[in-house]
Amino acid sequence: MSKEVALEDIVSLCKRRGFIYQGSEVYGGLAGTWDYGPLGLSLKRNIMNLWWKTFVEERDDMYGVDAAILMNQRVWQASGHVDTFHDPLIEDIETKRRYRLDHLLEDNGVNPEGMSLEQMAEALRENNIKSPDGNQLGEPQFFNMMFETAVGPVKDEHSKSYLRPETAQGIFTNFKNVVDSFYPDVPFGVAQMGKAFRNEISPRDFVFRSREFEQMEIEYFIHKDDWRKEFEKWVVDIKAFLSELGLPEESVHEHEVPAEDRAHYSERTIDFMFDYPHKRDELLGLAYRTDFDLKNIERESGKNMEYITKGGGERFVPHVIEPSFGVERAVMAVLVSAYNQDEVNGEKRIFLKLPQHLAPVRVAVSPLLKNKPELVKKAREVYDLVKKEFSNVMWDDNGNIGKRYRRQDEIGTPYCVVVDFDSLEDDSVTVRDRDTTEQVRVKISELSEKLK
Ligand code: GAP
């Protein structure tokens, strides 16, 4: 069995099998946007549902919100995003194409970690780096990544709004609402999953760096004296979740982000890195955001963000630990971890060894031959039975049985159930295991139990 996986393998499987397509593909695409097909959507939802169940439903200290994507522009002024949410940009003076300066340095073997804009410009000159088209580059500048839009029919300074670049601010702005409705004890968390938008200078590496993506974020409100203890607890919880996603421990790495590279709001950040095919890169971040956001809201809105302990003993603006997961990066890490190749009967086989709870299709049911009505009838009965137990069951009678197995292996279906002529006599079916390709006979009356 081989674990060598190239980015092209993943991209091609995703397109071929209906996981992920280029956004607006029929019109030549729109860079940095991706559309999920039926199986990709199912995989993505399974990941998001698992996250919600793990971090919200199964805990007593979590509250969910679903805030509007469009927010009052003052949110982004207060948060610092209007002034500081930017990436370094550089332009090819001939073609006018724009590149992300730190990426350009990296691609030319220079590590830009910790460098200021001026230092990056210096490194560019020292190493005589040209644009990918071999042309001279202009002066670097910062480029704000927020998508601007206007709310309402009149476009002026008052109507200005942004597509949110992080879901976090929709949590902070609802902090007081949740406290007033639910009287939670500190520590408690507010969680949100949903779309975020960033006008990335150079979207790349498939869905890894997109302009429209989803986040799953928690703002965990704590007493400031407890931040170290709570931060460490989150490290443990994150690792447990990544293991539930089926990511091998040896492919996940913790990177302590140096002060000069941390986001403007963070006093400590650990990036959880994953060994993607393009390189080891950030899967998710865990940040200690202090009281930066709630204090900013107090300043900008004039509203008090203090938390009062039960009995009124203490008043304080809570500090925050923020685990911030990117859905696309999780989908990609799950696909890379699951992607396997081996040989069956002398033929190369690709299969996705997805954890059962994430597989888009849990069980596929087939009649051995689709032109034999008695087999189809029996297989339909089996299908209805299994579908009642596990909703994500697929009816598959396309092509011959070998082709069906290959297709189901490629989409990560753990079990294929086949109704053959013997089934009509012995009320049993063949169940084939995706990973071992072994086949066993199972009584239909015991099938649901066995599949569980
Ligand atoms: N609220 C904190 C925050 O947004 P971030 O490190 O900028 O922090 C958090 O983003 C996560 O969102 C990243 O770790 C990554 O998983 C995901 N993410 C960020 N930018 C992305 C992009 N352009 N495409 C896909 N995912 C992205």
Side-chain angles (χ1 to χ4, degrees), residues 81 85 165-169 172 198 200 207-217 219 263 265 271-272 276 282-285 287 289 322 324-330:
H81 283 81
F85 193 60
E166 60 168 15
T167 61
Q169 293 305 321
F172 288 120
R198 294 184 188 180
E200 294 282 353
V207 296
F208 182 88
R209 192 170 301 285
S210 309
R211 290 186 167 134
E212 176 177 341
F213 55 98
E214 298 213 53
Q215 289 185 319
M216 308 182 283
E217 298 200 294
E219 305 308 323
Y265 47 71
D271 281 344
F272 285 76
Y276 289 100
E282 180 187 333
L283 164 60
L284 69 107
R289 277 182 95 128
E322 178 195 65
S324 175
F325 294 74
V327 176
E328 277 63 23
R329 294 188 187 181

Side-chain angles (χ1 to χ4, degrees), residues 245-312:
L245 291 185
L247 312 193
E249 225 174 276
E250 63 276 13
S251 303
V252 178
H253 312 270
E254 287 167 44
H255 171 62
E256 185 75 48
V257 181
E260 58 276 19
D261 285 342
R262 288 199 291 260
H264 57 281
Y265 47 71
S266 175
E267 235 171 68
R268 184 182 178 195
T269 299
I270 290 183
D271 281 344
F272 285 76
M273 313 290 276
F274 179 78
D275 294 326
Y276 289 100
H278 63 278
K279 66 172 186 169
R280 180 173 297 176
D281 217 333
E282 180 187 333
L283 164 60
L284 69 107
L286 175 66
Y288 170 41
R289 277 182 95 128
T290 67
D291 55 0
F292 177 85
D293 299 271
L294 292 182
K295 280 274 173 63
N296 284 340
I297 293 177
E298 277 197 334
R299 201 174 314 116
E300 181 76 19
S301 70
K303 308 259 164 55
N304 187 317
M305 290 292 129
E306 275 181 340
Y307 172 87
I308 307 167
T309 52
K310 301 243 162 80

